[in-house]
Amino acid sequence: MQTHQHWMQKALELAQKAEEQGEVPVGAVLVKDNEIIGQGFNQPISTHDPSAHAEIIALRQAAKQIKNYRLVDTTMYVTLEPCAMCAMAMVHARVKTLIYAASEPRTGADGSLYQLLQHQGHNHQIEVIFGIMQEESSELLKAFFKQRR
């Protein structure tokens, strides 16, 4: 559990970077063999790229680092439940485990709206752990949207 909190704290620090840039505060780190191989924070506004979600950036960085689009035996830590795009990218990359902090009732792909990560129709399912540092992530998101309104 302490290891999960350590990596989620890294993801929260990245989410704060997103917030500083006026982006929705979501951060992600991809870990393999107790080392970060990819990390990212939301950047679709600043990059004019609708796919520049934290998870996608982390996946791209990791794939370049290990020189393989298959990211087997990795764990993704993300501060918010992934959307369908990010969830399917993780399925295609063969991420082993997803650990996320807060649920996303509007677009969440781990059961809040869709169930894509463990869908039996896919040739790969992802183990999911939910709620690590949920309160911290939720508060960051609530404060961000409160300020924007």
Side-chain angles (χ1 to χ4, degrees), residues 104-133:
E104 172 43 284
R106 291 184 188 100
T107 62
D110 180 50
S112 290
L113 184 61
Y114 308 108
Q115 179 48 274
L116 297 177
L117 297 166
Q118 297 175 335
H119 192 283
Q120 294 304 309
H122 300 149
N123 61 351
H124 176 75
Q125 288 80 40
I126 297 176
E127 174 189 0
V128 178
I129 299 171
F130 160 72
I132 304 295
M133 300 184 77

Side-chain angles (χ1 to χ4, degrees), residues 75-142:
T75 301
M76 176 73 78
Y77 292 84
V78 64
T79 58
L80 185 64
E81 180 181 1
C83 69
M85 173 184 68
C86 294
M88 288 310 300
M90 286 186 272
V91 168
H92 290 300
R94 306 298 194 269
V95 169
K96 181 178 181 180
T97 306
L98 167 68
I99 299 172
Y100 68 92
S103 62
E104 172 43 284
R106 291 184 188 100
T107 62
D110 180 50
S112 290
L113 184 61
Y114 308 108
Q115 179 48 274
L116 297 177
L117 297 166
Q118 297 175 335
H119 192 283
Q120 294 304 309
H122 300 149
N123 61 351
H124 176 75
Q125 288 80 40
I126 297 176
E127 174 189 0
V128 178
I129 299 171
F130 160 72
I132 304 295
M133 300 184 77
Q134 178 180 1
E135 188 173 317
E136 294 87 338
S137 180
S138 294
E139 288 303 315
L140 183 62
L141 287 157
K142 286 176 190 173

Side-chain angles (χ1 to χ4, degrees), residues 14-89:
L14 290 165
Q16 290 167 341
K17 285 186 179 183
E19 180 184 36
E20 291 166 7
Q21 295 183 15
E23 302 275 1
V24 175
V26 177
V29 296
L30 190 64
V31 175
K32 182 176 176 75
D33 299 327
N34 210 33
E35 179 182 321
I36 294 175
I37 61 168
Q39 61 185 355
F41 57 88
N42 272 9
Q43 300 176 53
I45 297 168
S46 61
T47 62
H48 310 291
D49 178 357
S51 70
H53 289 195
E55 302 94 322
I56 299 296
I57 293 168
L59 290 170
R60 287 175 179 160
Q61 192 178 88
K64 284 181 183 177
Q65 181 171 323
I66 68 168
K67 297 178 178 34
N68 194 335
Y69 74 105
R70 296 285 193 225
L71 303 170
V72 297
D73 296 324
T74 59
T75 301
M76 176 73 78
Y77 292 84
V78 64
T79 58
L80 185 64
E81 180 181 1
C83 69
M85 173 184 68
C86 294
M88 288 310 300

